[in-house]
């Protein structure tokens, strides 16, 4: 996770002008949240999107694509899942499904007060990292070729 964070910060700083204080402040804030030592840590999938899940009717039966697994704050996986699964095509968040997901998650593991406090910033972090990943895909022939290899079941 530390390597991924360093890569993200390096790319972020290279991409945006050093004179942009808003972006520098946002980066500083998000860095302090993601690196907060008080957050529960563990293995996270890091890429829960519908295309990495297999369903039998409405039942989740498998999750795959483990190339983004890292030892990171557990709340980061929740944020990535929210970004990957609960935003509508018009860009709005499906609050009802997000709330249902958070309730179901907490039946297995209760979120700490601190995790609940930083969830909005973790969602911002997930959105920014996804934007950079997609940008790299658009500009990378290798990533475009990989996208063409999508397997449909």
């Amino acid at each position: 996770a530390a390597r991924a964070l360093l890569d993200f910060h390096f790319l972020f700083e290279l991409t945006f002008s050093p004179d942009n204080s808003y972006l520098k402040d946002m980066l500083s804030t998000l860095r302090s949240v993601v690196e907060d030592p008080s957050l529960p840590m563990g293995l996270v999938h890091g890429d829960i999107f519908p295309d990495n899940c297999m369903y039998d009717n409405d039942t989740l039966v498998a999750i795959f694509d483990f190339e983004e697994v890292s030892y990171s704050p557990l709340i980061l996986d929740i944020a990535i899942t929210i970004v990957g699964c609960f935003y509508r095509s018009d860009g709005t968040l499906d609050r009802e499904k997000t709330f249902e997901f958070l309730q179901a998650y907490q039946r297995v593991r209760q979120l700490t007060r601190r995790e609940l406090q930083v969830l909005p910033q973790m969602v911002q972090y997930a959105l920014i990292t996804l934007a950079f990943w997609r940008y790299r895909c658009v500009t990378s022939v290798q990533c475009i070729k990989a996208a063409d290899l999508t397997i449909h079941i």
Side-chain angles (χ1 to χ4, degrees):
R3 171 73 184 174
L5 281 175
L6 290 175
D7 288 347
F8 165 72
H9 296 312
F10 178 72
L11 181 62
F12 190 93
E13 290 166 358
L14 280 179
T15 303
F16 293 100
S17 163
D19 298 328
N20 191 327
S21 62
Y22 172 76
L23 293 173
K24 287 177 76 173
D25 290 346
M26 184 188 335
L27 174 61
S28 178
T29 299
L30 292 175
R31 180 180 293 157
S32 67
V33 170
V34 173
E35 296 174 353
D36 182 343
S38 71
L39 293 172
M41 302 283 287
L43 287 178
V44 301
H45 183 274
D47 198 18
I48 302 289
F49 280 74
D51 55 338
N52 290 334
C53 299
M54 184 181 299
Y55 293 89
D56 181 9
N57 294 316
D58 288 336
T59 303
L60 177 67
V61 295
I63 297 173
F64 41 92
D65 188 4
F66 289 89
E67 67 189 38
E68 299 297 328
V69 168
S70 65
Y71 186 79
S72 299
L74 296 172
I75 193 69
L76 181 58
D77 224 16
I78 294 169
I80 291 168
T81 302
I82 289 170
V83 169
C85 298
F86 303 118
Y87 274 88
R88 298 180 187 103
S89 60
D90 67 359
T92 60
L93 179 66
D94 187 327
R95 292 177 184 271
E96 184 177 328
K97 286 185 180 179
T98 301
F99 183 72
E100 289 172 7
F101 166 69
L102 291 171
Q103 283 184 313
Y105 182 93
Q106 291 193 89
R107 285 194 290 273
V108 176
R109 187 184 83 79
Q110 192 68 38
L111 295 172
T112 67
R113 176 176 289 170
R114 181 68 181 140
E115 286 176 304
L116 291 169
Q117 289 172 339
V118 302
L119 181 57
Q121 289 93 348
M122 287 293 193
V123 169
Q124 289 176 341
Y125 178 82
L127 286 165
I128 290 171
T129 56
L130 175 62
F132 277 114
W133 186 88
R134 303 249 171 160
Y135 173 78
R136 283 194 315 203
C137 274
V138 168
T139 60
S140 166
V141 172
Q142 193 174 37
C143 193
I144 292 169
K145 286 181 181 177
D148 289 341
L149 298 175
T150 304
I151 298 171
H152 300 280
I153 299 174

